Amino acid sequence: MDHPVEKLSGMTTRDKIVTAEEAVALVRDRDTLVIDGFMGQCFAEELTLALEQRFLTTGAPRDLSLAFAVAQGDGKDRGFARLCHDGLVRRAVGGHWGMAGPLGKLATEERIEAYNLPQGVLAQLFRDTAAGKPGLLTRVGLGTFVDPRHGGGKVNAVTQEDLVRLMEIDGEEYLFYRAFDRLDVAFLRGTTADPDGNVTLEREALFLEGLAVATAVHNKGGLVVVQVERIADSGSLDPKDVKIPGALVDCVVVAAPEHHTQTFGTAYSPAYSGELRVPMSTIKPLPLSERKVIARRAALELRPNSVVNLGIGMPEGVAGVAAEEHVLRYLTLTAEPGVIGGLPMGGLDFGSAVNGQAILDQPAQFDFYDGGGLDAAFLGMAQADRWGNVNVSRFGPKLAGSGGFINISQNAKKVVFLGTFLAPSRTEIRDGRVVPTDGVSAPKFLAEVEQRTFSGEVAAASGKLVLYVTERCVFRLVPGGLELIEVAPGLDVECDVLAHVGFEPLVADDLREMDPRLFRDEPMGLADELLSVPLEARFVHDPEQDMFFLNMEGLSLRTLADVEAIGAEVDARLARIGHKVHVAVNYDNFSLAPGLEDAYVAVVRGIAERWYSSVSRYTTSAFMRLKLGGNLAQRGLAPYIYESRQEALGNLGEHS
C-alpha cells in the first residue's frame, strides 16, 4: 500500500519541502523504516528526533521494523537510542549494533525480534531489493553465526523467521540472503536539495547506500524523506553532483544545524568531505603503550602498494604508526563505508578520512572487498579460540554486531587480528620490555569463542595467512589451529603467556622474540624496511623440490646497468646450484623503465636457456602481467604470468 504523500497540505510535485513534523506524521504503525547512516555520518537526526517526539506525544506510530547497515549512535544517548521506547520498535535487522546500546539491549532481552547480518550484505541487499531481485547469493558468512547451521543471524529466541538459506551450486556452498519484503519509509540525509527533491552531498563525509535505499523504498511504493542543511533554487544544482534524484524523493526537511553535524565527533570538517587537504605533519604520534606496540607489530605486515582495510578500535592505531613512519604514501588505506586512500579517522569520526582519493557508495566498496580487492585487513579481536575462530560480535548481554567484519575478514588476502592479550591488558611498557602488572583480567584466548564472527576452519582450508597480534605474543593460523610464533622480550612463555590461554596451542619450533623496536620510543624505520628487500633474501633454493624462488617484488630497474646487474646476480646464484631447476618468480610491484623491455627479456632468455627446467611467474598487477607476458611471447618464451604464488607453484608442479 502506497504512502499518502499527496495528503500533505500545500505540497505540490514542484515543492517537496516540509517540516520534520509533517514528514514523520506519514509514518504508520508496523511500517518498515530504513534509517541510513554510519554512527553519526549521514544520519538524519532531525527526523529521528521528530519521530521520537511524535511517539512520546501521541503513542504512534507503533511496532516499527528498523532496517540498517549500521546502527547510528554515539555510545550514549544520540542516534537509535532515541527510538528505544517500549512499543515503538518490534523488530530490527542490522549489521553493526555497537554504538546503539539501548537497541542492542532490547534485542538481547528478547523485547524485540532481531537479526544481525553482515554490514556489506545489508548494503548490497538494499541495492538488490531496489532491482527487484529475490535476494543476494554470496559466500560471505559461511562458517560464522549467520550461517543457518550456526544460527542464521538470529539474535534471540523470539526471532523465528529464516532470512538466510544455505544453497549448493556446482558443488560449492553459498548463503542466500532474502531481499526485503517491505520497505515503507526511508530517512536519508544530504547537504543541499532543491524544491524538486534533487539532493547533493558535497559537505557529507560519506555517501553510504543512500541512492540504493531511496531506489528500493521508492520501488516498493514507500516514502523517501531526505534531511538537508540548505535549499537551492530549482535547476541550479549541477546534475553531476546530484546523488539522489528528485524522482525518488517525496519530502525534503531542512534541519537545525545542531541536528546535522558531519559526524558525532566533529560538527564539520572540510577535510572529511574532500574539500580541503591537510598537512600530514599535523598528525601526532601515538604515545608508547601496549596499543602502540600492537599497532606497530601489525604494521610490520604492511607491504608497499597494497590496499588495506583498517577496522574500528585497536586497528585504527596502524594508520597512526604508518603516518609516524612516513609510509602512508606507499599504501592505500580504506574503510568499509566507502573511503579509499588518505588517512582514516578514529573514534566518533571513524569511517571518514582526510586527504582521501575517492569516496564510493558503500555497496560498491563491499563489491571491491568481497571480490578479493583487499591485500590485507587489520581488524579487532575480542576473543579467539584454539581453531582460530574470532568473536567480535556478541558477549553475553552485549550485542556489538558483526558490522563489516565478516565480509572483510573472509575475503582479504591476509588478515591480522589485533587485541590486548588479556582484558584489561595488565601490562606496561618499560625499558623496552613488556612488564605484566597485578590485577584481575579475563582471558581472551579461549577453548571456544562465545560467537563465531570469523571462521578459522574456513580460512585455514583456503590457505589464508592469518595472524593474531597482542602486546605479549603473536599467533598464526595453521591447519591444526593456533600456533605461537613470537613472544615479547622479558616474558616467561609458560607463566606470562601459556598460563593465560584456555587451551594448549601449537608452539613453533622457531619460536622467536618480538622485534625489540616495537617497545622503544623512537620510530622503527619502517619506511626503509618496507621499500627494500636484502639481496640475499631475494633468492631461495629448495633442494627437496629442486625449486629456485626469485623475488623481484618492489624492485625498480631504471637503467641498462640495473638490468645487467640483476641478470648477472641471478645467473651467478643459479650457477652455484650447477644444474637446471624449476623456477618461480614474484613480479609483485616490480617496475621496468620504458625502453628496457627488449634488454630485460634478452637477459631473461639467456638465463632461462642455461638454468631453467621450467618457470612460472606471478604478479597481482594485471598491467604487469600483460606487459611482461607480451614481451616474453615475442621472444619465444613462455608468456603466461600467474596472478598468485599458489597458481604459479601449481603450474610448476604440473611440469615437474
Side-chain angles (χ1 to χ4, degrees):
M1 180 178 175
D2 291 348
H3 269 268
V5 180
E6 68 280 3
K7 293 183 180 178
L8 271 178
S9 174
M11 187 173 117
T12 71
T13 57
R14 299 288 297 172
D15 187 358
K16 299 181 178 181
I17 304 166
V18 301
T19 67
E21 291 71 24
E22 289 174 319
V24 302
L26 298 175
V27 182
R28 305 166 302 190
D29 290 350
R30 300 187 73 82
D31 270 351
T32 296
L33 170 63
V34 185
I35 305 182
D36 200 24
F38 189 89
M39 291 175 24
Q41 290 95 311
C42 298
F43 171 48
E45 189 167 24
E46 184 93 5
L47 295 172
T48 303
L49 292 172
L51 182 65
E52 178 195 31
Q53 188 57 47
R54 179 190 165 199
F55 178 80
L56 293 176
T57 302
T58 69
R62 299 186 64 83
D63 298 327
L64 299 181
S65 293
L66 294 181
F68 53 90
V70 175
Q72 289 93 75
D74 63 350
K76 298 177 183 176
D77 57 358
R78 296 180 76 177
F80 282 7
R82 308 306 294 264
L83 301 179
C84 294
H85 303 287
D86 285 339
L88 178 53
V89 177
R90 72 173 184 88
R91 175 179 167 125
V93 180
H96 193 274
W97 293 63
M99 299 304 289
L103 185 66
K105 186 177 181 182
L106 290 180
T108 58
E109 292 180 352
E110 301 189 344
R111 294 159 63 191
I112 62 172
E113 297 175 23
Y115 298 84
N116 181 200
L117 303 181
Q119 179 181 326
V121 165
L122 285 163
Q124 294 163 336
L125 205 55
F126 288 124
R127 185 181 61 190
D128 290 343
T129 301
K133 297 179 181 179
L136 176 68
L137 188 68
T138 176
R139 291 187 178 89
V140 171
L142 284 170
T144 73
F145 73 90
V146 299
D147 188 317
R149 294 166 293 191
H150 303 291
K154 298 170 186 173
V155 173
N156 56 39
V158 301
T159 305
Q160 295 295 315
E161 186 181 4
D162 294 329
L163 300 186
V164 189
R165 193 160 83 235
L166 179 68
M167 298 182 67
E168 185 174 302
I169 300 176
D170 296 334
E172 295 282 338
E173 290 186 341
Y174 295 85
L175 295 183
F176 178 73
Y177 297 84
R178 278 175 37 198
F180 290 98
D181 298 326
R182 289 181 55 182
L183 292 175
D184 301 301
V185 183
F187 285 177
L188 306 176
R189 195 175 96 172
T191 300
T192 308
D194 65 16
D196 304 318
N198 298 300
V199 178
T200 62
L201 281 77
E202 65 270 19
R203 284 164 59 92
E204 302 298 327
L206 300 168
F207 299 150
L208 300 177
E209 52 278 330
L211 176 59
V213 169
T215 308
V217 173
H218 174 83
N219 288 355
K220 286 286 187 180
L223 173 75
V224 177
V225 187
V226 184
Q227 169 184 314
V228 298
E229 60 180 88
R230 57 195 182 190
I231 299 295
D233 194 15
S234 292
S236 65
L237 298 178
D238 188 329
K240 292 181 290 186
D241 293 334
V242 173
K243 299 299 182 183
I244 305 175
L248 304 178
V249 176
D250 299 295
C251 306
V252 172
V253 172
V254 179
E258 64 270 23
H259 299 151
H260 201 95
T261 57
Q262 195 177 42
T263 77
F264 280 157
T266 300
Y268 171 68
S269 167
Y272 291 177
S273 50
E275 301 167 89
L276 178 73
R277 295 185 71 84
V278 299
M280 299 303 281
S281 59
T282 61
I283 301 169
K284 295 181 179 179
L286 298 171
L288 185 61
S289 66
E290 69 272 14
R291 295 178 70 89
K292 185 170 186 176
V293 167
I294 295 167
R296 278 178 158 180
R297 175 59 187 87
L300 294 181
E301 300 301 318
L302 294 169
R303 295 295 179 266
N305 301 314
S306 58
V307 182
V308 173
N309 170 270
L310 300 179
I312 193 169
M314 191 78 71
E316 297 168 15
V318 177
V321 170
E324 181 184 0
E325 298 286 343
H326 305 292
V327 299
L328 274 179
R329 72 183 74 177
Y330 307 114
L331 308 167
T332 301
L333 303 182
T334 70
E336 56 267 31
V339 296
I340 293 182
L343 180 67
M345 296 289 97
L348 292 177
D349 296 327
F350 178 76
S352 309
V354 298
N355 299 351
Q357 300 170 16
I359 302 175
L360 306 184
D361 286 358
Q362 185 164 226
Q365 185 80 308
F366 277 104
D367 289 342
F368 174 64
Y369 284 1
D370 291 350
L374 285 172
D375 295 301
F378 297 82
L379 302 170
M381 172 183 64
Q383 295 175 345
D385 67 22
R386 67 170 68 241
W387 303 115
N389 300 316
V390 173
N391 176 25
V392 298
S393 49
R394 179 76 182 264
F395 316 97
K398 183 177 180 181
L399 176 61
S402 60
F405 188 96
I406 295 176
N407 298 80
I408 296 164
S409 63
Q410 187 170 329
N411 294 300
K413 295 180 179 72
K414 173 169 43 174
V415 181
V416 181
F417 294 116
L418 294 75
T420 57
F421 183 68
L422 300 171
S425 68
R426 300 299 181 194
T427 55
E428 294 179 358
I429 311 302
R430 296 185 208 153
D431 303 321
R433 293 175 177 270
V434 169
V435 180
T437 59
D438 294 332
V440 177
S441 290
K444 298 175 71 171
F445 289 88
L446 311 172
E448 185 176 357
V449 294
E450 189 173 343
Q451 186 171 76
R452 192 183 304 176
T453 330
F454 172 78
S455 171
E457 180 183 3
V458 172
S462 70
K464 187 190 298 289
L465 175 60
V466 184
L467 296 178
Y468 305 74
V469 175
T470 78
E471 79 284 7
R472 293 196 188 193
C473 61
V474 179
F475 294 93
R476 71 180 167 201
L477 182 63
V478 298
L482 288 194
E483 179 182 51
L484 181 65
I485 60 172
E486 297 178 23
V487 175
L491 294 185
D492 182 283
V493 176
E494 291 292 337
C495 296
D496 299 324
V497 176
L498 297 180
H500 303 280
V501 175
F503 54 92
E504 187 175 337
L506 302 170
V507 178
D509 293 336
D510 59 344
L511 179 65
R512 58 189 182 275
E513 250 188 17
M514 296 171 70
D515 193 318
R517 294 175 298 169
L518 306 176
F519 308 94
R520 298 172 185 159
D521 273 316
E522 64 270 16
M524 298 188 295
L526 187 58
D528 291 339
E529 183 172 310
L530 197 66
L531 299 175
S532 64
V533 177
L535 195 60
E536 61 272 14
R538 293 188 179 274
F539 311 103
V540 177
H541 178 232
D542 182 348
E544 289 187 10
Q545 301 182 69
D546 204 18
M547 189 177 295
F548 184 78
F549 296 93
L550 174 55
N551 182 12
M552 304 289 280
E553 182 175 4
L555 202 60
S556 179
L557 304 185
R558 297 300 180 195
T559 67
L560 181 59
D562 292 340
V563 172
E564 292 173 344
I566 192 67
E569 186 64 35
V570 173
D571 193 71
R573 298 275 177 162
L574 290 167
R576 293 176 197 170
I577 299 172
H579 60 269
K580 289 190 173 185
V581 293
H582 305 295
V583 178
V585 188
N586 175 11
Y587 277 113
D588 261 352
N589 304 313
F590 172 81
S591 64
L592 185 67
L596 293 179
E597 293 90 346
D598 287 346
Y600 182 75
V601 173
V603 168
V604 170
R605 182 185 185 113
I607 295 172
E609 289 175 346
R610 288 189 296 276
W611 302 115
Y612 293 3
S613 60
S614 65
V615 61
S616 274
R617 304 171 177 92
Y618 64 96
T619 175
T620 55
S621 167
F623 173 76
M624 188 57 66
R625 287 199 298 275
L626 291 171
K627 180 178 177 182
L628 281 178
N631 282 285
L632 291 169
Q634 290 171 16
R635 294 284 181 169
L637 298 173
Y640 195 79
I641 300 179
Y642 293 88
E643 187 175 356
S644 70
R645 187 174 189 266
Q646 289 80 3
E647 290 177 353
L649 294 181
N651 174 65
L652 282 179
E654 292 172 5
H655 292 87
S656 59

